[in-house]
Amino acid sequence: MSAISLSEGIWWVGVVDWGLREFHGLSAERGSSYNAYLVVDEKVALIDAVRGDLSETLLENIASVIDPSRIDYVISNHAEPDHSSGLGAVIDACGSPAVLATPNGVKRLKEMYRRDWRFQPVGDGEELSLGSRSLRFIHAPLLHWPETMFTYDVLSATLFSCDAFGAHLATTERFVDQLGAETVLDFTRQYYAFLVAPFRKSVLSALAKAAEVPVSVIAPSHGPVWRENTGMVTSAYYDWASLKYEDRAVIIYGSMWDSTRKMAYAIAEGVRQEGLEVRVFDVEKSVPSDIISACFLSRLTLLGSPTFVGGIYPPVEAFLPWLKVPRDSGRKMTCFGSYGWSSGAVKKLIAAQEANGYPVMEEGLALQFAPTAEGLAECADFGRRAARWALEK
Ligand code: FEO
């Protein structure tokens, strides 16, 4: 895919990665893009690069707009290698551009690449004149690494936000309005829940800073560009960072001989009867990030495990650390499961969730062997009670 004009003097020169399917545990079922942007004026700036193995395409895209040797400044908003491992190839092709990043970003780039580039640390609020337009640097740490910043083009009111507001989504279209904002927002949410949610206070700080300037375009480093209704994605970020819980529940279970699965389905029906939308995941057949995205800001999460050697069924136990990723500690939880001749899994699941700091409906529900009709009715009742408890203010 060749360069695409965002507005007068601003070009997308990134690379679409159609083959990506997973990113540090985050499902990327629709691929992704690594967005780099060229701002052309009397001076020329490149904002971010791409993954190193894709830098040839980045250079081709730059060359379709200008001779790469014309680049005066290479700006690194974020040092993670999906945006920085292609910097070396670009810098080599440019000659000796200045490499701008936050002081922390300069430190990271030096540590990672051990190259003697012409580094120029930039302060929060500092501006770089390109001639008739200028770029402002807005430090936005922990989105999602300590060195991250936004770059803001004052003339076009374009915010180059790096990972923030981005989504893993490979498309031929470059703009959100060509794809449908709701569709893009689903992918943005999944990205947020897995990679950004642990840093919600940083999100709120960055949103407050971004609100000090007019923003017409949000150009993230993954997925399509918001050139209309940017308030839609900033409002969504605000709601997510403010932990506005939604009337949804998630049931996550593992099952050896189907008894815990039957319990999960019956509990789901009870939860639904109290007005919560329910999603059910078999932990052995699901991608962790899909489950986490569904759990994020759900009022209620129910964990189910059969008892295995007196404890939690290993596939369920292996999933537990993923639950801590979004750090939405107000999510209410309870647990259930079947057992054979000795119980134990439910108590251990409950103890693990209490240790993680979640509000827990402590009694849980454990049933012996295959559930009877009465047992399934008990499950539905348990689901109703859990849902009513989750809906309490
Ligand atoms: Fe897209 Fe944090 O790198």
Side-chain angles (χ1 to χ4, degrees):
M1 187 169 215
S2 56
I4 290 173
S5 171
L6 259 61
S7 58
E8 181 70 36
I10 300 182
W11 298 82
W12 175 90
V13 288
V15 178
V16 176
D17 184 353
W18 296 99
L20 186 76
R21 287 294 174 270
E22 191 269 342
F23 192 97
H24 304 329
L26 170 60
S27 161
E29 68 198 60
R30 290 275 305 271
S32 192
S33 66
Y34 312 104
N35 300 336
Y37 300 95
L38 204 57
V39 185
V40 181
D41 201 59
E42 291 163 35
K43 301 278 188 182
V44 177
L46 175 72
I47 301 173
D48 289 315
V50 300
R51 242 179 41 202
D53 58 316
L54 301 172
S55 55
E56 193 177 325
T57 307
L58 168 66
L59 281 166
E60 287 168 6
N61 288 344
I62 294 170
S64 73
V65 181
I66 54 148
D67 183 333
S69 68
R70 274 199 61 204
I71 293 175
D72 301 283
Y73 305 103
V74 172
I75 296 164
S76 170
N77 279 338
H78 178 23
E80 193 164 12
D82 51 331
H83 312 291
S84 69
S85 55
L87 283 175
V90 175
I91 292 168
D92 291 345
C94 294
S96 182
V99 179
L100 283 64
T102 61
N104 207 343
V106 169
K107 185 169 179 287
R108 294 265 174 269
L109 292 172
K110 284 181 177 174
E111 287 166 348
M112 286 198 297
Y113 300 111
R114 312 286 175 195
R115 295 284 302 271
D116 191 22
W117 293 328
R118 200 154 59 84
F119 287 109
Q120 188 174 317
V122 294
D124 189 20
E126 186 176 327
E127 289 201 6
L128 173 74
S129 173
L130 299 180
S132 64
R133 69 199 308 159
S134 61
L135 299 176
R136 186 179 303 166
F137 304 108
I138 302 171
H139 287 198
L142 284 173
L143 293 183
H144 59 126
W145 276 22
E147 83 295 342
T148 44
M149 70 172 182
F150 299 156
T151 296
Y152 175 70
D153 176 58
V154 178
L155 184 66
S156 64
T158 301
L159 187 71
F160 300 97
S161 57
C162 206
D163 284 345
F165 311 116
H168 283 320
L169 185 57
T171 54
T172 48
E173 296 77 13
R174 285 273 46 84
F175 299 100
V176 170
D177 52 279
Q178 295 169 315
L179 296 157
E182 292 291 346
T183 301
V184 174
L185 213 50
D186 283 345
F187 287 89
T188 311
R189 179 196 167 92
Q190 190 171 47
Y191 188 93
Y192 179 97
F194 198 82
L195 287 171
V196 187
F199 309 102
R200 70 182 198 88
K201 288 182 181 164
S202 304
V203 171
L204 293 172
S205 299
L207 285 171
K209 275 185 166 183
E212 291 172 7
V213 293
V215 174
S216 300
V217 176
I218 293 181
S221 57
H222 296 291
V225 170
W226 293 79
R227 64 179 174 183
E228 293 177 2
N229 198 8
T230 57
M232 190 169 176
V233 70
T234 54
S235 294
Y237 254 57
Y238 183 80
D239 288 349
W240 298 334
S242 305
L243 297 183
K244 291 193 176 171
Y245 285 89
E246 299 159 7
D247 289 343
R248 295 185 287 105
V250 176
I251 299 176
I252 307 157
Y253 74 93
S255 194
M256 289 189 289
W257 292 110
D258 223 23
S259 298
T260 301
R261 198 272 304 160
K262 286 177 181 168
M263 291 180 71
Y265 284 21
I267 290 167
E269 179 57 18
V271 172
R272 184 199 66 77
Q273 287 168 0
E274 292 298 325
L276 290 181
E277 178 192 329
V278 190
R279 289 191 65 186
V280 182
F281 293 91
D282 179 340
V283 78
E284 292 182 88
K285 296 176 183 168
S286 308
V287 177
S289 65
D290 290 349
I291 306 177
I292 287 163
S293 178
C295 285
F296 179 59
L297 299 185
S298 289
R299 289 198 188 283
L300 177 65
T301 299
L302 300 107
L303 277 174
S305 171
T307 293
F308 180 88
V309 197
I312 302 166
Y313 181 43
V316 177
E317 190 157 35
F319 174 76
L320 296 183
W322 291 107
L323 270 178
K324 291 191 274 186
V325 169
R327 294 192 193 163
D328 52 338
S329 55
R331 182 197 324 139
K332 293 183 175 178
M333 304 202 57
T334 192
C335 307
F336 64 93
S338 67
Y339 63 94
W341 49 97
S342 71
S343 62
V346 172
K347 278 185 183 161
K348 285 181 177 167
L349 278 175
I350 284 175
Q353 299 322 304
E354 285 176 334
N356 287 338
Y358 293 111
V360 175
M361 194 169 90
E362 290 177 27
E363 63 267 36
L365 179 65
L367 296 182
Q368 190 168 20
F369 280 115
T372 59
E374 291 76 20
L376 292 176
E378 199 179 338
C379 288
D381 185 58
F382 175 72
R384 285 189 288 272
R385 279 190 291 116
R388 287 196 296 273
W389 169 69
L391 285 163
E392 283 170 10
K393 296 294 176 203

